[in-house]
Amino acid sequence: MLLTNARWMAIVVLTLLSCATASSEEAGNEGNNTGPWPGGAEVAVILTYDDSLDSHLDIAIPQLNKLDLPGTFYLSGARSSIRDRHREWRNAAGQGHELGNHMLYHPCRKSLPGRDWVQPWHDLDDYTLAQFIDELRTTNSLLSAIDGEQKRSFAYPCGDMQAGGEDIVEALKPYVTAARHGSADGQHAIDDDNFYQLASFDSLKKSGKELIAVAEAARAEHSMVGFLFHGVGGDYLTTSAESHQALLAHLAAHPEVYWVATVTDAVTYLKALQQ
């Protein structure tokens, strides 16, 4: 069940207030790992990054690599970062990061509020469903040429789930393992078998403490919690490099609590668990 923003932020605030107590309790509970995730972890965490941004290559990936944590990067194939830095994206895949599908042209519905920036030829309202699927499959092929992988997850550009007024969720299922949207509380229940509307918490302008509180709030539910980043320390819709680093350091310091995985690996585990 999705929470309202107000209720979710209230949970985060309460979690921030209890972090000191929780930290002391963790010290006494080390070695008692009975969570439902690999290694007995209590929470699964997926770190996702949209739009093929230079700050992902320059800041986010080096921070992840330093702590041996995987991220899922949703790439739009026509972006300059793909043309100019595709070897670096290939290296990122070789380092354990997932390259996900975010379409070639990042099409969005121009008719919705705040979408003046959408170019008319990238307007999902004017796409046909067949056109949408063709672009998705082409992007899969491009990404496979970069990383050699066949399994691929997807992130809805702008969170939009219609093309030309038609639902795209069912249509994309044969071509991707899972799909993440970008406007929810971040949690996915462990028994939820809908893998094509995975929730994510928007990390825009959040402090490190706020991001950590989101992860901590998911512990009581033993859920999978998703984070959505755009720019990290640069570009646009930016989360500071310091906040990003603080979250990663917290996750890496508590492997008994947090299982950090790519979207495809996390969903593969969930599917097997639910069989």
Side-chain angles (χ1 to χ4, degrees), residues 23 26-27 30 67-69 212 216 245-260:
S23 295
E26 283 171 16
E30 287 185 7
L67 294 171
D68 197 25
L69 296 176
I212 291 168
E216 287 291 305
Q245 177 63 42
L247 173 63
L248 300 190
H250 180 77
L251 298 175
H254 301 285
E256 75 284 358
V257 176
Y258 303 106
W259 177 54
V260 183

Side-chain angles (χ1 to χ4, degrees), residues 147-194:
D147 64 11
E149 298 292 335
Q150 299 304 313
K151 288 186 176 181
R152 192 83 51 194
S153 66
F154 179 82
Y156 302 95
C158 300
D160 294 340
M161 300 182 187
Q162 290 186 347
E166 294 187 77
D167 178 77
I168 64 177
V169 178
E170 290 299 320
L172 60 76
K173 287 183 178 181
Y175 308 107
V176 294
T177 60
R180 193 224 69 206
H181 63 65
S183 56
D185 64 23
Q187 291 199 53
H188 183 90
I190 198 165
D191 59 352
D192 185 348
D193 63 359
N194 180 2

Side-chain angles (χ1 to χ4, degrees), residues 3 14 41-42 57 105 125 142 150 177 238:
L3 304 178
L14 290 172
E42 299 177 46
L57 292 167
Y105 302 113
D125 289 321
L142 171 64
Q150 299 304 313
T177 60
T238 305

Side-chain angles (χ1 to χ4, degrees), residues 166-247:
E166 294 187 77
D167 178 77
I168 64 177
V169 178
E170 290 299 320
L172 60 76
K173 287 183 178 181
Y175 308 107
V176 294
T177 60
R180 193 224 69 206
H181 63 65
S183 56
D185 64 23
Q187 291 199 53
H188 183 90
I190 198 165
D191 59 352
D192 185 348
D193 63 359
N194 180 2
F195 303 115
Y196 292 90
Q197 295 187 50
L198 299 176
S200 60
F201 181 83
D202 190 347
S203 304
L204 174 63
K205 296 183 179 179
K206 299 298 188 297
S207 69
K209 288 184 177 180
E210 289 173 311
L211 296 175
I212 291 168
V214 170
E216 287 291 305
R219 291 179 68 178
E221 305 299 329
H222 294 309
S223 63
M224 179 171 72
V225 61
F227 290 87
L228 165 60
F229 297 93
H230 286 87
V232 176
D235 295 311
Y236 54 81
L237 299 176
T238 305
T239 303
S240 72
E242 293 76 15
S243 294
H244 183 258
Q245 177 63 42
L247 173 63

